[in-house]
Amino acid sequence: MPHNDEPWRLGPVATTGFQTTLSTPSDGLKPLDALALEGRDIYRREGCQQCHTRVVRDLPGDYARYGAAQTSSDLAFDRPSLWGNARHGPDLSRLPSQHDEAWQRVHLYSPRTKVPDSSMPGYPWLFEQALTGQTIAARMRKLQALGAPYRDDEILAAPSKVRGVAEATALLAYLRHSSQNHTSSDTALAASGQTEESRKQTGDTP
Amino acid sequence: MSTAPDASLSHHKVIRQLALMAMLWGGLSLCLAVWLCAVRLWPTLDLQLAWLSYGRLAPLQTHALLYGLGGSALIASIFHVAQHTAQHPLCSPQLVRFALLGWQGVIVLGSLALMAGFSSGHLMAEYPWPVDVLMTLVWLAVSWIFFTTLEQRSIRRLPVACWFIIGCLVMVLLKHVLASLTHPISLVLAIPLYTGSLDALLQRWQAGPLPGGMFALGFIGMLYHALPRQTQRPLYSHRLAIVSFWSLVLLLTWGGAPLLFASPLPQWSQTLGMAMGIVLLAPGLALSINGLLTLNGDWQSMRRDPLRCFMAAALVFYGLAVLEQTLLSIAPLNALTFSAAGSLSPANALGAMAMISVAMLYFLLPYPRLPHRFSTRLIALHASLAIVGTLLCVGASWATTLQQAEMWHALAADGSPQYALDEILATARTPMLVTLAGLSCWVMGMLLMAANVAQALANSSTVRELSRGGHPA
């Protein structure tokens, strides 16, 4: 909370104070890497939040299914926040571990081949379209200016890193990335490395 | 600011055009709602096209209903109220035209943008930032027209309806602008100013519990203008209306937090939201009851004039929606109802909103007097279809919520969830069929309305031609 030595500026100080309490990142919280950030944008674009939430509530039914509830600090880099407000499908804060990458790809392509009475729509076009990486650097710069700890070399490398990657791969990288909480960030790295390899092996279609 | 006398006629035309557009958007968005419901019931219907996938069309539908039907009807009523209160045609005809075209532009551009995937990701405010800017400009234009026209009035004292509209104009602008501040990256992409929980809070604060949210003040203003005219009785209590107006304006700012219980937000803000949600009950119910008492239990006249029936039903559903939101503001109830299907869907609120809008359309369209009034039988049929449709949707949403809540929070002895997700999701099927039936009722009602209006307009134009032939000007 900023020091308040000018009482007439109480209004602005109170709002920044409010903003600080709600958006201080927790220790070791990493912002999304370039690929996951692109994935997040696809999640927003396709409106996955119309059917899925991405917030575990502090209620027994929730943490029995999806693990510990998040705090504001865990979500400090989410712009915009994509909590969603209806669960027509599961919460996606942490992907279930029993399904591997290949399963998730097929499920995303055509959900009913994996879950016969799923009501989720298929997303075949995500496997045909590739990322262009056009806006990623600008977005990361803006996020950096707003407080996300990106390194400059990361931002410079971002466009070439994501260019040509299938959108579905980026989307799953995003879902995987946030599926672990900030304490186990090394598994995050492992997971994102693995997705890049699997992209090269499996190609763009499942 | 003198305008030629025939300009007043053209202003009635603007109001009628807005009303017709509202009708069109309402019909389209309800058809879309039927389609979306069907796709969720029978997913194989899905067309597998990016532009038409569920995640993109769902916000398009709610936005077309809220902004297309609700917004256009609201602007038409604002113009009508201004004109009638001031007994003066609308000022600045250019701006009036801009408001008419601009608002339709917002919905068309916004819908195309959503289909193309340029959503801002903000609940109930998903249009991308250029459309938000256009919306703000149109809203400012509407406010300017309202205030300048009102300036021309000869009786200084403002009727209550005007107070509500002023409140609505200011609150909508405030909430809309504050909640959608962003850093633009490109024409279609932006990064919101706020982050994480704060963004979530502001999103809900803007979308709000709909009955107390964005347009509530305006809708009540509409009804409080139309009710006394339709019933030829003064408003039951002027003082009650003013008191509830001020309390609603002061409290509404805090609406929306009930959607955030047990979330990562700090406890104190959740508690504040709960308190505000409960306090809102008083003015909300007062507004509804005040309107109903204006009708004064005159059932005989209601049978003769189905439009009164429509208005009464809208008020009842508004009251129910307020009650529902209050119940949901009580933390344990909210925890219970926050189940797989999310919180209660805003069926009740949207129903009340759509009903008030449609009632207003029936009220506004005959100005200047159509020689041939609408068929009352068809209005009565529309009213009953709307009531049945809303009841079905609301019932289905309660049934899903209660049943899923029960299963969602049932834990086995070892603390693991008792029901698997697919078991829980499967319970939504039957209620969804009911919702489909309810929405179909609404669509049928809108079709009846279209037929009714088309008939009346056709009749009036032939009559006008006849009279023009008979008495050359």
Side-chain angles (χ1 to χ4, degrees):
Chain A
M1 181 104 180
H3 180 58
N4 183 15
D5 46 5
E6 293 162 291
W8 57 89
R9 292 186 52 218
L10 200 63
V13 170
T15 41
T16 36
F18 192 47
Q19 174 140 14
T20 335
T21 33
L22 283 188
S23 50
T24 317
S26 48
D27 293 337
L29 180 68
K30 284 215 166 103
L32 297 177
D33 60 24
L35 193 64
L37 193 62
E38 287 282 21
R40 184 167 214 277
D41 212 44
I42 294 164
Y43 186 92
R44 170 196 60 73
R45 186 188 77 191
E46 298 302 339
C48 307
Q49 71 271 21
Q50 304 295 333
C51 288
H52 292 285
T53 53
R54 275 182 53 86
V55 58
V56 181
R57 293 192 170 228
D58 195 9
L59 298 171
D62 265 33
Y63 45 72
R65 283 185 175 79
Y66 304 118
Q70 295 112 325
T71 63
S72 287
S73 324
D74 297 337
L75 305 166
F77 299 136
D78 283 8
R79 280 171 205 264
S81 85
L82 295 173
W83 288 5
N85 65 344
R87 281 184 187 152
H88 301 312
D91 186 272
L92 292 183
S93 304
R94 300 179 180 94
L95 282 190
S97 51
Q98 73 264 30
H99 300 138
D100 60 4
E101 183 76 16
W103 189 97
Q104 292 292 1
R105 289 179 76 86
V106 176
H107 179 264
L108 193 60
Y109 192 88
S110 149
R112 270 161 298 288
T113 51
K114 289 291 179 195
V115 184
D117 33 52
S118 167
S119 61
M120 173 161 152
Y123 289 90
W125 60 91
L126 295 182
F127 294 83
E128 287 145 23
Q129 295 169 6
L131 298 174
T132 60
Q134 260 170 358
T135 55
I136 185 74
R139 258 185 295 150
M140 286 172 84
R141 281 243 173 276
K142 185 54 95 186
L143 289 174
Q144 187 191 37
L146 291 170
Y150 285 119
R151 292 189 315 274
D152 285 335
D153 57 315
E154 251 178 317
I155 299 181
L156 283 179
S160 57
K161 200 176 147 213
V162 302
R163 197 173 299 131
V165 179
E167 290 187 337
T169 310
L171 181 55
L172 286 176
Y174 167 56
L175 293 181
R176 287 260 171 248
H177 186 106
S178 29
S179 62
Q180 72 283 300
N181 35 39
H182 58 276
T183 41
S184 54
S185 47
D186 27 355
T187 45
L189 292 178
S192 63
Q194 180 211 331
T195 48
E196 261 167 59
E197 264 162 45
S198 66
R199 153 174 59 97
K200 281 172 194 130
Q201 285 159 11
T202 49
D204 285 348
T205 35
Chain B
M1 272 285 158
S2 75
T3 333
D6 61 330
S8 81
L9 255 185
S10 79
H11 285 151
H12 280 301
K13 216 168 98 198
V14 165
I15 293 175
R16 178 171 299 165
Q17 281 160 341
L18 272 168
L20 289 177
M21 285 316 287
M23 195 173 84
L24 183 70
W25 289 122
L28 286 180
S29 73
L30 285 163
C31 287
L32 194 56
V34 169
W35 167 250
L36 289 174
C37 192
V39 167
R40 279 195 40 220
L41 272 169
W42 302 286
T44 40
L45 285 179
D46 187 37
L47 301 170
Q48 304 262 351
L49 289 174
W51 283 56
L52 300 178
S53 76
Y54 183 90
R56 298 191 188 185
L57 288 186
L60 194 161
Q61 188 265 322
T62 44
H63 285 48
L65 190 67
L66 184 63
Y67 298 108
L69 171 64
S72 305
L74 185 58
I75 295 178
S77 321
I78 290 177
F79 286 170
H80 176 88
V81 172
Q83 221 163 214
H84 263 247
T85 311
Q87 292 296 325
H88 188 277
L90 295 176
C91 297
S92 11
Q94 302 295 339
L95 267 187
V96 172
R97 201 151 309 127
F98 167 69
L100 168 69
L101 295 178
W103 192 257
Q104 308 315 313
V106 164
I107 299 152
V108 172
L109 290 179
S111 302
L112 289 177
L114 287 184
M115 282 207 273
F118 302 141
S119 147
S120 71
H122 271 189
L123 278 180
M124 294 314 271
E126 305 221 14
Y127 291 155
W129 71 268
V131 180
D132 275 345
V133 172
L134 180 60
M135 199 185 243
T136 314
L137 291 179
V138 174
W139 200 254
L140 285 174
V142 171
S143 315
W144 175 262
I145 296 163
F146 181 76
F147 287 119
T148 46
T149 310
L150 219 53
E151 260 307 286
Q152 313 294 325
R153 72 191 190 276
S154 43
I155 304 168
R156 293 323 293 170
R157 196 169 146 214
L158 275 183
V160 252
C162 287
W163 282 108
F164 280 92
I165 289 174
I166 293 173
C168 168
L169 288 170
V170 174
M171 294 292 285
V172 169
L173 187 70
L174 191 76
K175 286 198 174 197
H176 176 71
V177 170
L178 278 185
S180 24
L181 286 179
T182 50
H183 298 282
I185 296 281
S186 71
L187 207 54
V188 292
L189 202 69
I191 291 184
L193 192 60
Y194 316 103
T195 173
S197 302
L198 187 60
D199 187 41
L201 178 72
L202 281 166
Q203 284 184 31
R204 271 113 193 126
W205 180 61
Q206 202 242 355
L210 279 168
M214 193 158 168
F215 289 144
L217 284 165
F219 287 129
I220 291 295
M222 275 153 61
L223 270 185
Y224 278 13
H225 174 81
L227 259 184
R229 279 164 188 76
Q230 194 67 23
T231 56
Q232 265 130 36
R233 280 211 192 92
L235 196 61
Y236 176 71
S237 162
H238 191 83
R239 185 171 303 162
L240 187 59
I242 292 288
V243 170
S244 28
F245 166 74
W246 281 110
S247 36
L248 207 60
V249 166
L250 295 179
L251 295 176
L252 256 186
T253 334
W254 296 99
L259 292 167
L260 293 163
F261 279 120
S263 74
L265 278 174
Q267 196 63 45
W268 64 264
S269 65
Q270 297 183 23
T271 312
L272 183 67
M274 168 168 161
M276 285 303 171
I278 292 172
V279 174
L280 265 179
L281 177 68
L285 277 190
L287 286 172
S288 160
I289 288 170
N290 201 356
L292 284 174
L293 285 177
T294 307
L295 286 164
N296 205 5
D298 190 352
W299 306 116
Q300 214 51 45
S301 65
M302 266 208 215
R303 203 164 304 149
R304 257 184 292 112
D305 179 5
L307 191 45
R308 288 186 206 187
C309 227
F310 226 127
M311 290 178 177
L315 280 169
V316 169
F317 277 102
Y318 176 79
L320 284 179
V322 171
L323 203 62
E324 183 180 294
Q325 286 301 326
T326 312
L327 284 181
L328 287 185
S329 300
I330 302 169
L333 272 181
N334 189 280
L336 180 76
T337 51
F338 194 89
S339 57
S343 234
L344 276 180
S345 71
N348 211 334
L350 283 180
M353 195 258 342
M355 243 184 237
I356 296 182
S357 307
V358 168
M360 277 314 282
L361 296 184
Y362 277 123
F363 177 79
L364 290 177
L365 276 168
Y367 282 91
R369 289 274 163 242
L370 286 180
H372 282 258
R373 299 293 303 264
F374 295 136
S375 142
T376 17
R377 289 239 324 275
L378 284 187
I379 299 188
L381 201 55
H382 188 179
S384 15
L385 279 171
I387 293 171
V388 171
T390 314
L391 279 178
L392 287 178
C393 293
V394 172
S397 111
W398 272 96
T400 325
T401 308
L402 290 183
Q403 194 172 6
Q404 294 196 344
E406 163 89 39
M407 298 171 82
W408 194 258
H409 294 296
L411 297 184
D414 62 346
S416 63
Q418 198 176 344
Y419 297 96
L421 183 78
D422 52 344
E423 283 176 284
I424 299 180
L425 292 180
T427 58
R429 269 195 87 81
T430 322
M432 215 135 59
L433 281 170
V434 176
T435 312
L436 191 69
L439 288 171
S440 313
C441 286
W442 260 102
V443 169
M444 274 191 289
M446 292 308 282
L447 286 178
L448 287 184
M449 178 178 197
N452 203 350
V453 170
Q455 184 73 38
L457 288 183
N459 280 346
S460 76
S461 64
T462 46
V463 167
R464 211 176 299 143
E465 259 154 45
L466 280 182
S467 63
R468 201 175 293 153
H471 320 274

